[in-house]
Amino acid sequence: MVDTPPARPAPDHPRPTFARPRWACLDGPWDFAEGRPGDTPRDWDWDCTIEVPFPPESAASGLGLERCDHPRYRRTFTLGSDIEAPGPGERLLLHCEGVDHEARVWVDGQFVGRHEGGYTPFTLDITDALGEGPGHEVVIAATDLARDLEQPRGKQDWHDQPHAIWYGRSSGIWRSVWLEVVPATRLASVAWTTLDTFGRLRGDIRIEGWAEDDDLAVEASFAAAGIDLGTVRVGATASVVEVGARLGRAAHADTPLLYWTPDNPMLIDVRLRLVRGDEVLDEVAGYTGLRTIGVRGGTVELNGVAVFSRLVLEQAYWPDTHFTAPSLEALRAEAELIKGMGFNGLRIHQVSADPRFLRTCDEVGLMVWADVPAAYVHTPRSTALNSRTLTELVERDRNHPSVVAWVPYNESWGVFEVADSAQQQAAVRAAYWLAKALDPSRLAIGNDGWENVAGDLVGVHDYTHDPAVLAARYGSPDAVSATLSGVRPGGKLLLVDAPTPGTPAVLSEFGGVSLPREADSWGYGAVPDASALLGKVAGLVAKVGAASGLVGFCWTQLTDCLQEQNGLAWPDRTPKAPLGALREAIGAQPPPISLL
C-alpha cells in the first residue's frame, strides 16, 4: 500500500473534518406539502415543489410562505446513478444537517427515525428500509411551531412579521440532506484535543461495529502544508481508541510553524484508517489544528500567548435565503469579509454555523464564539433542549480550531428571571459546567452579557456611543473592576455572583452604529454618511482596544438584517465604507507576511 500525505476533503463536503469519498448531496427540487399535527405520508397531496435546503419562508425556496408550521418533503433517488449502491457488508446513511425543529423520516414507506433540535444534524441508517430495485423515496415531515417559545429559536421571530431584533423564520429543511455509503464496521467519530503548547495532540476515535474478538487497529496519518508528519497505529482494544501524537516540534527543517493562530492559520491534515491486518476497512479524511485557549493572570492566552479578541457579531442572515447561506461561495466570502475588515474573530450569534463556514474560518484565521440559540421561556423542556443542542454542537464542531468558546445563554434570553431565580441560575451554571465537561479545551460563558452567572470570562453588553463613557468604564483594569461591581443605568445587574479574582472581561456587544436606508429601520445610534460611520467606529474602538482593561470586544454587527440596520455592511455584503478604512478603524495591524 503506497501512502501519500493526507489531503483535506473537498470544499463542498457538509462535514469537512470527517469525510469519506462515497457521498451524494440531495439538495435541489423536492415535492412539498403543508401538513397538520399527527399526519403521515398517506395524508399528503404533493401539490408543489421546493428548492432544498432553502426554508419555505424564504424567496429562494420558490415558496416565500409567511408561516409554515408543518412542512412536508419528498424526493426520490436512484442507486447506481445518484449514489453508488452499497455492497455486501455496507450500509447507506441519510444525513440531515438541519431540520427545524422536529423531523420524522420515512424511506420507501417505512418509518426510519426522528430527531428533535433544529440547529444540529442527525444521521439515520436507512439500509434495512430500502425496497427492491434501484429507485427509492425519502419523505421528511418537519414540525416547527411558530408560537412555541420553549424550543430554541435564536433570532427567528415568533410574530407573523419580523420585529425589533428578530428576523424571518427558517422552518423545516434549512441545511443540506445527503447520502453516504459506509462499511458496517467503521470509524464513527473522532474528537481531537490539543493537550498543551508543545503540540501534543490526542484523538478519541469511536468505532461502530467493534467486537472484542476482532483484530482491529486505527491508523492516523498527519501532514501540514503537504509535508508528511508521520503515522501512528493503535490496536483497538475497545470501541473507543485513543491516539496520541506530538506534532509541535518540526520533524524537518522546512516544516512551517504548526500552531494555529489568526495570523498563521496552519491546519493539520489527518487521514484515519480502520484496519484489520493489511486490510483497510474504512478511511476518513479530515483536519484539525494545534491550538490551545485558556485564561491565566487576567488574560486570555492562545497557545500560551496573550491574545486580544477583535470580534464582530455575525447574525448569518441573508435576505433571500434567511439563515441558510445562498452558496458555498457566499460562506467563504463572508469569512473573508470579516477578516478583511480587520477582525480576528466573530461571535456566531443565536444560530449554529454551517460547518463549511467554520472550515473557512479555520483556513483564513478567525476565532469563533459559538452561541446556543435561545428559547424564550424557562421550563424543564427548554432547559433539556438547550442542553441537547449544546451537546450536539460540541460533538459536531469540536475539531474546528477556529471555535474557541461556547456560549449556552445570551444575556437572560430564556432565563428572564435569572437575577433572582435560583432555578434559572442553576440552569445557567449547569450549562456552563456541561460545556466544560464536554469540552474542557475551550472557553465557556454560561450567559453572556447582563446578570452574568458563571463563565471563564465576564461578558458585558454596552451600547453607549459616548467614547468618554466607554473610557471611564473600561479604560483600565481598575475601571473594569469598578464597573463590574455596580449596577448599570436602567437597573441592569451585571453580576449575579462575584467572579473568581482575575476573571477577564470582554465587551461582548457594543457599537451598533446605523447608516440607515429605510425609514422604519433602527440601530443604537445613527450617522449620516460613511465618513461619519468610520469616525464613530474608530472613536469607540479606540477606548476599548488592547490598551484598555478588557481582553477583547465584539462589534455589533457585520451586516444589516431587515429592520435592524446597524451593520458595517449592507445586506448584500457590500461594505458601507472602504475595507482599508474599516480595518484601520477597527484597530487592526497590517496583514502579516505569510510564513509559507
Side-chain angles (χ1 to χ4, degrees):
M1 181 170 57
V2 177
D3 263 345
T4 58
R8 209 161 303 162
D12 60 340
H13 198 284
R15 298 188 184 175
T17 63
F18 197 81
R20 298 180 179 88
R22 299 166 68 191
W23 70 282
C25 189
L26 296 183
D27 292 351
W30 289 53
D31 298 326
F32 183 84
E34 292 191 65
R36 63 180 187 274
D39 56 8
T40 63
R42 65 175 177 269
D43 299 317
W44 304 325
D45 294 324
W46 304 102
D47 52 4
C48 61
T49 61
I50 185 171
E51 190 72 16
V52 168
F54 304 117
E57 298 91 348
S58 72
S61 72
L63 299 178
L65 302 178
E66 182 175 284
R67 175 177 171 180
C68 190
D69 284 5
H70 300 283
R72 309 299 190 233
Y73 302 82
R74 180 182 69 175
R75 73 153 287 168
T76 60
F77 66 90
T78 303
L79 295 176
S81 175
D82 293 312
I83 189 169
E84 179 182 342
E90 293 184 325
R91 312 296 292 178
L92 184 64
L93 304 183
L94 176 71
H95 299 279
C96 296
E97 292 302 303
V99 182
D100 199 5
H101 163 75
E102 181 180 349
R104 296 175 291 152
V105 183
W106 292 260
V107 171
D108 290 347
Q110 291 193 45
F111 180 72
V112 293
R114 66 181 293 274
H115 177 263
E116 186 176 18
Y119 290 95
T120 52
F122 63 94
T123 298
L124 299 170
D125 186 335
I126 64 173
T127 314
D128 295 337
L130 297 174
E132 297 294 328
H136 303 281
E137 178 188 80
V138 177
V139 173
I140 298 176
T143 296
D144 186 22
L145 302 180
R147 307 293 193 257
D148 183 358
L149 299 186
E150 289 183 296
Q151 73 183 44
R153 6 187 8 93
K155 298 295 286 281
Q156 296 185 71
D157 212 322
W158 58 97
H159 291 188
D160 288 338
Q161 296 296 326
H163 80 291
I165 59 171
W166 290 277
Y167 314 143
R169 286 187 288 274
S170 289
S171 299
I173 299 175
W174 68 288
R175 284 214 169 117
S176 291
V177 181
W178 53 290
L179 298 168
E180 184 181 30
V181 178
V182 299
T185 302
R186 61 185 180 273
L187 301 161
S189 66
V190 61
W192 295 109
T193 304
T194 304
L195 298 178
D196 54 33
T197 56
F198 297 103
R200 285 195 304 130
L201 186 67
R202 187 189 73 212
D204 296 302
I205 300 160
R206 187 170 295 276
I207 300 171
E208 179 75 22
W210 176 85
E212 188 174 355
D213 58 352
D214 203 353
D215 184 21
L216 300 178
V218 171
E219 287 185 354
S221 300
F222 306 96
I227 299 171
D228 188 3
L229 299 179
T231 297
V232 177
R233 181 181 176 120
V234 178
T237 60
S239 60
V240 179
V241 177
E242 182 179 308
V243 171
R246 184 168 178 173
L247 303 175
R249 295 186 181 277
H252 309 285
D254 57 350
T255 302
L257 186 66
L258 295 182
Y259 298 97
W260 186 95
T261 70
D263 290 337
N264 180 56
M266 178 59 64
L267 298 176
I268 307 297
D269 296 308
V270 184
R271 178 177 57 234
L272 292 177
R273 284 173 171 159
L274 181 64
V275 299
R276 181 187 292 126
D278 293 330
E279 179 188 8
V280 178
L281 302 181
D282 191 18
E283 183 171 317
V284 171
Y287 69 89
T288 189
L290 294 180
R291 194 267 301 126
T292 63
I293 185 104
V295 170
R296 185 173 65 173
T299 65
V300 174
E301 292 185 340
L302 188 71
N303 301 321
V305 178
V307 62
F308 187 86
S309 297
R310 301 185 309 277
L311 313 179
V312 68
L313 202 67
E314 163 67 297
Q315 308 282 10
Y317 187 86
W318 281 264
D320 292 333
T321 58
H322 294 201
F323 292 101
T324 306
S327 65
L328 181 64
E329 292 75 20
L331 290 172
R332 175 160 287 276
E334 191 90 334
E336 291 176 346
L337 175 64
I338 293 170
K339 190 80 169 184
M341 285 182 173
F343 297 101
N344 63 5
L346 61 113
R347 180 177 168 201
I348 186 80
H349 190 43
Q350 290 301 295
V351 65
S352 62
D354 188 310
R356 298 169 303 172
F357 177 67
L358 293 179
R359 173 181 177 154
T360 301
C361 294
D362 296 334
E363 291 174 343
V364 306
L366 290 168
M367 297 182 290
V368 177
W369 285 26
D371 278 17
V372 175
Y376 289 100
V377 295
H378 180 260
T379 66
R381 176 173 175 250
S382 71
T383 302
L385 289 172
N386 177 279
S387 299
R388 180 184 302 170
T389 303
L390 172 61
T391 299
E392 293 180 356
L393 281 179
V394 171
E395 181 179 4
R396 190 196 72 169
D397 295 341
R398 63 170 299 153
N399 292 325
H400 291 279
S402 59
V403 178
V404 299
W406 306 111
V407 185
Y409 286 94
N410 176 59
E411 297 179 349
S412 57
W413 292 11
V415 283
F416 292 112
E417 299 174 355
V418 71
D420 303 303
S421 168
Q423 182 185 29
Q424 293 185 19
Q425 292 169 17
V428 174
R429 291 191 184 97
Y432 165 75
W433 286 113
L434 176 61
K436 300 302 288 187
L438 294 169
D439 183 13
S441 70
R442 287 178 170 87
L443 306 174
I445 302 94
N447 63 320
D448 177 71
W450 309 121
E451 297 103 3
N452 283 261
V453 175
D456 299 321
L457 308 174
V458 174
V460 182
H461 296 177
D462 191 334
Y463 284 104
T464 183
H465 280 186
D466 186 336
V469 172
L470 283 179
R473 290 173 178 169
Y474 313 108
S476 68
D478 288 344
V480 171
S481 296
T483 298
L484 295 182
S485 67
V487 176
R488 282 291 315 283
K492 281 285 191 180
L493 182 68
L494 279 172
L495 300 173
V496 170
D497 296 326
T500 303
T503 301
V506 175
L507 189 57
S508 47
E509 286 187 28
F510 88 119
V513 179
S514 178
L515 180 57
R517 280 179 169 172
E518 308 296 336
D520 60 350
S521 67
W522 72 276
Y524 292 98
V527 292
D529 53 37
S531 177
L533 173 69
L534 288 169
K536 179 65 74 172
V537 172
L540 296 177
V541 168
K543 303 304 180 184
V544 297
S548 70
L550 302 164
V551 295
F553 62 74
C554 182
W555 181 271
T556 302
Q557 58 190 14
L558 179 63
T559 69
D560 288 353
C561 298
L562 299 179
Q563 70 281 356
E564 188 179 2
Q565 296 189 13
N566 52 16
L568 295 174
W570 304 109
D572 67 358
R573 276 49 184 176
T574 302
K576 294 181 179 179
L579 273 182
L582 282 169
R583 186 179 184 91
E584 184 177 352
I586 295 301
Q589 299 299 313
I593 298 173
S594 174
L595 297 175
L596 299 182

